[in-house]
Amino acid sequence: MNKQLIALLSCTTLLGACATHGINTDRSELDGARQAVSQARQAGAETCAPKLMAKAQAELYWAAHELTEGVHPDENAMHIAHAEKFAMQAKDKADKECHKPVEVIALTGVNFKTNSAELTPASTAILDAAVATLNKRSNIRVEIGAHTDSRGQETYNQQLSEKRAMSVGDYLVSHGINADRLAMHGYGEAKPIADNATAEGRAQNRRVELTVLN
Amino acid sequence: MKYKLFASGVLGCALMSFASPAMAMSFPSVGDRAEAVRAEVGKVHNYHAYLATQFASIAESEIYDHDLRAAKEFIKMAEEEAAKAGAAK
């Protein structure tokens, strides 16, 4: 009876082990392909080149399976070569797509009254130029990012910057820019570009920027 | 006694003849599972969706090569990736 029970338990354990796949890619023959796939993954290929990355990964597993069979050496070599080729293509594409330089249009001169989201009269000329740019480049979407210096409470600066981003957005929309092309974001004091310890630095940090999204 | 044995045998055969198709229907083929994976991830364009369809194709290829064990392994991997594709939507 005990022998039967042990046999039954052993079979159950083995069946459970079969529930996960048994394809082992940690073989020395696959070192090159595995490294290429890993490099592509690190470059962000799963996000920026998903089709090529999937092909590379699939070929790697296929190669690993064929190696366990040990019957078709030509097929093994083909799958390994395919895995490396697709991984390199995926990495190249990811290097371009994932790390596109971000275009930022600084709205230098756009200012607000102190502790307010009300635009100063001098700001309208700069915003009119922004309207003209957005009309000229009618296919771009932009994020309106408003920033403050670090004086005062962080939460207050965050809320103020959000209101200021909305204020700029309202101006652009009221001058004909489609609201669907705009995203408003207040960054508060979180992203300084200069030293907040100096008056000049704080002035630089108090800014509004348009970041091109597409 | 002999009559009872004969009747049991006939009954057993009758049951098996009805059971076999029913058993076959409860275990979809690798090809059916591959189609199901493609239908599930057809409109999803992320890495897991693409990998699911790749594994499904490999599974079908292994069936063509008469390697049922490998086909089942790859279709299971396809189904796992399809589940991740849905979650990553």
Side-chain angles (χ1 to χ4, degrees):
Chain A
M1 181 64 180
N2 283 339
K3 283 183 185 174
Q4 285 170 343
L5 188 59
I6 289 167
L8 179 64
L9 285 170
S10 303
C11 287
T12 309
T13 306
L14 283 168
L15 281 170
C18 291
T20 56
H21 70 76
I23 299 177
N24 177 26
T25 58
D26 286 333
R27 298 177 63 123
S28 57
E29 301 96 325
L30 299 175
D31 282 350
R34 204 172 50 250
Q35 193 179 18
V37 168
S38 173
Q39 286 174 352
R41 183 168 287 114
Q42 282 171 28
E46 283 189 16
T47 305
C48 300
K51 217 169 190 176
L52 284 167
M53 187 64 191
K55 281 182 175 178
Q57 185 72 63
E59 289 285 351
L60 181 64
Y61 272 105
W62 208 352
H65 161 67
E66 292 295 338
L67 279 168
T68 58
E69 294 198 326
V71 175
H72 306 119
D74 291 344
E75 261 193 59
N76 300 343
M78 178 187 76
H79 290 306
I80 291 170
H82 283 173
E84 289 176 348
K85 180 182 86 170
F86 290 132
M88 281 169 54
Q89 288 176 357
K91 183 180 177 303
D92 286 345
K93 189 168 182 189
D95 283 341
K96 288 172 196 156
E97 299 290 326
C98 278
H99 303 107
K100 266 187 198 167
V102 176
E103 182 183 356
V104 176
I105 303 167
L107 298 180
T108 310
V110 169
N111 292 308
F112 304 86
K113 293 181 179 174
T114 304
N115 293 324
S116 165
E118 190 180 337
L119 289 157
T120 60
S123 300
T124 56
I126 290 101
L127 287 176
D128 289 342
V131 168
T133 298
L134 288 169
N135 281 328
K136 195 175 167 187
R137 298 173 67 183
S138 56
N139 63 326
I140 63 170
R141 291 183 62 248
V142 295
E143 179 198 80
I144 303 164
H147 303 258
T148 67
D149 59 34
S150 65
R151 286 179 308 172
Q153 297 232 344
E154 195 175 337
T155 50
Y156 175 81
N157 288 335
Q158 178 61 39
Q159 287 166 10
L160 182 61
S161 67
E162 286 167 11
K163 287 176 190 169
R164 286 177 171 178
M166 293 291 294
S167 186
V168 170
D170 289 344
Y171 185 94
L172 296 177
V173 169
S174 69
H175 285 73
I177 303 302
N178 192 329
D180 290 342
R181 296 177 59 195
L182 306 173
M184 275 74 78
H185 196 110
Y187 286 96
E189 59 187 70
K191 293 190 169 187
I193 57 171
D195 188 356
N196 275 303
T198 66
E200 189 184 313
R202 289 193 296 273
Q204 287 182 57
N205 288 333
R206 294 189 300 271
R207 68 194 189 282
V208 180
E209 298 168 335
L210 300 182
T211 302
V212 180
L213 298 175
N214 62 325
Chain B
M1 183 62 182
K2 281 183 186 175
Y3 175 76
K4 281 182 184 174
L5 279 171
F6 175 74
S8 300
V10 168
L11 181 62
C13 287
L15 282 170
M16 282 299 294
S17 66
F18 283 110
S20 298
M23 283 170 69
M25 281 166 62
S26 65
F27 294 103
S29 67
V30 169
D32 290 340
R33 290 166 72 180
E35 283 304 311
V37 164
R38 288 192 193 95
E40 186 180 344
V41 302
K43 292 183 181 175
V44 182
H45 301 290
N46 63 32
Y47 165 73
H48 295 291
Y50 291 131
L51 189 55
T53 54
Q54 289 288 320
F55 283 152
S57 297
I58 295 172
E60 287 174 316
S61 182
E62 291 297 330
I63 283 284
Y64 187 74
D65 285 343
H66 307 293
D67 191 341
L68 183 60
R69 190 193 63 81
K72 286 183 177 177
E73 195 149 31
F74 276 106
I75 198 64
K76 188 172 183 302
M77 290 160 68
E79 289 163 347
E80 287 169 359
E81 290 300 323
K84 291 179 192 172
K89 268 191 231 177

